[in-house]
Amino acid sequence: MTPFLFMLVVLGFSVGAGLLGSLLGIGGGLILIPVLTLLLKVDIQYAVGASIVSVIATSSGAAAAYVRDRMANTRVAMFLELATTAGALSGAFLSGMVGGRGVYFVFGAVMAWSALVMLRRMRVAAEAPVPADALADRLALHGSYWDESQGREVAYRVTRPLAGLGLMYVAGTVSGMLGIGSGALKVPAMDLAMRLPLKVSTATSNFMIGVTAAASAGVYFARGNIDPFIAGPVCVGVTLGAWLGSRHLMARVNSTWLRALFVGVLLWVSFEMLRKGWAP
């Protein structure tokens, strides 16, 4: 493959990754790392470095629209970023101690766990009562948003913010180690533990992942794992895809369909990465 063709292929996949990332709140890295490593044979460390850039691009391309539409809960995001930023720095340093196959296994296991959590949430009634929480009340974490697919304003309450804070430290550590933006963990944490609606969880995750990724990007840059030849087309493509998803698709997408897509993507990625880690 010529360098020019390689850049075009990466650009095309990056647009799709940014589109899915903006809809699912997972960052483009969840899609791009398997594509770069499994299809284009890029070394995992350079793939993770490019993914960190793509995560920042996804957040930049999608977050503004979600904040404008009140779909992203900025109070929840700022509260949880205390833990994710600390975790991202921890994970970035840990990544240098884990071998390539170890990263594949960790990545695959994290994706499988996230898929099982989201699959379980599909069986929980959306109207189930949310337990009251004094801290969430004191911090005014509750909110509402306009759901175009339902044609109405959806009000929601937040619960167990401290449990969410602990899960976010783990999510940030995984983000720094794997370069995935940790949306695959943040979305289930907010959706299942804190009981935010899925659309709010994905929009808030998009708002958060850029900050988390930026906290660890400097470590990857200093280590020489961010190659401009790979990261350049990734950044352009992911930004375009995130813009399309956040401004034209999210408000119209049905939440059940969105959850099913999320689970399907996670299961595919988990299988492929575990298979890659197991291969000699």
Side-chain angles (χ1 to χ4, degrees):
M1 184 182 298
T2 65
F4 181 71
L5 180 58
F6 176 86
M7 292 182 65
L8 287 180
V9 171
V10 172
L11 180 66
F13 278 116
S14 297
V15 172
L19 182 63
L20 279 176
S22 67
L23 289 177
L24 303 179
I26 56 178
L30 183 64
I31 311 298
L32 279 175
I33 289 180
V35 168
L36 291 173
T37 57
L38 302 177
L39 297 181
L40 301 178
K41 309 304 180 183
V42 174
D43 181 85
I44 183 74
Q45 297 297 335
Y46 289 106
V48 169
S51 173
I52 286 288
V53 175
S54 79
V55 169
I56 299 173
T58 300
S59 181
S60 301
Y66 292 146
V67 171
R68 180 198 62 205
D69 297 338
R70 295 186 299 112
M71 198 170 287
N73 190 320
T74 54
R75 283 181 175 269
V76 169
M78 291 299 99
F79 174 72
L80 297 178
E81 278 295 356
L82 297 172
T84 54
T85 303
L89 292 173
S90 303
F93 285 105
L94 284 174
S95 68
M97 306 175 188
V98 181
R101 293 185 67 181
V103 173
Y104 281 119
F105 276 119
V106 173
F107 200 155
V110 167
M111 295 306 100
W113 179 85
S114 298
L116 291 175
V117 170
M118 296 301 290
L119 192 61
R120 177 188 171 193
R121 181 75 175 101
M122 291 181 72
R123 302 194 183 102
V124 178
E127 295 79 14
V130 177
D133 189 282
L135 181 58
D137 292 339
R138 193 174 302 120
L139 296 175
L141 299 181
H142 319 298
S144 64
Y145 70 99
W146 175 261
D147 192 324
E148 190 172 330
S149 68
Q150 299 184 42
R152 65 183 179 92
E153 186 81 5
V154 178
Y156 60 91
R157 295 183 59 81
V158 179
T159 189
R160 295 191 292 268
L162 291 181
L165 200 66
L167 289 171
M168 288 302 158
Y169 179 80
V170 177
T173 303
V174 172
S175 169
M177 187 163 58
L178 303 180
I180 60 173
S182 73
L185 291 175
K186 287 177 179 175
V187 173
M190 287 184 281
D191 180 56
L192 189 61
M194 300 178 68
R195 298 294 299 275
L196 273 72
L198 182 61
K199 286 188 177 182
V200 176
S201 297
T202 56
T204 305
S205 174
N206 267 297
F207 181 79
M208 295 171 62
I209 56 178
V211 179
T212 308
S216 56
V219 178
Y220 284 92
F221 183 80
R223 197 181 290 150
N225 289 342
I226 298 180
D227 185 343
F229 181 72
I230 303 172
V234 162
C235 186
V236 173
V238 165
T239 302
L240 177 59
W243 179 82
L244 292 171
S246 63
R247 283 166 173 75
H248 300 288
L249 293 178
M250 173 62 101
R252 299 179 176 87
V253 172
N254 180 274
S255 294
T256 301
W257 179 87
L258 192 63
R259 192 183 302 277
L261 178 61
F262 190 102
V263 171
V265 169
L266 292 186
L267 287 174
W268 174 78
V269 172
S270 173
F271 171 77
E272 290 295 333
M273 297 308 284
L274 288 173
R275 183 171 65 86
K276 180 72 173 179
W278 186 264

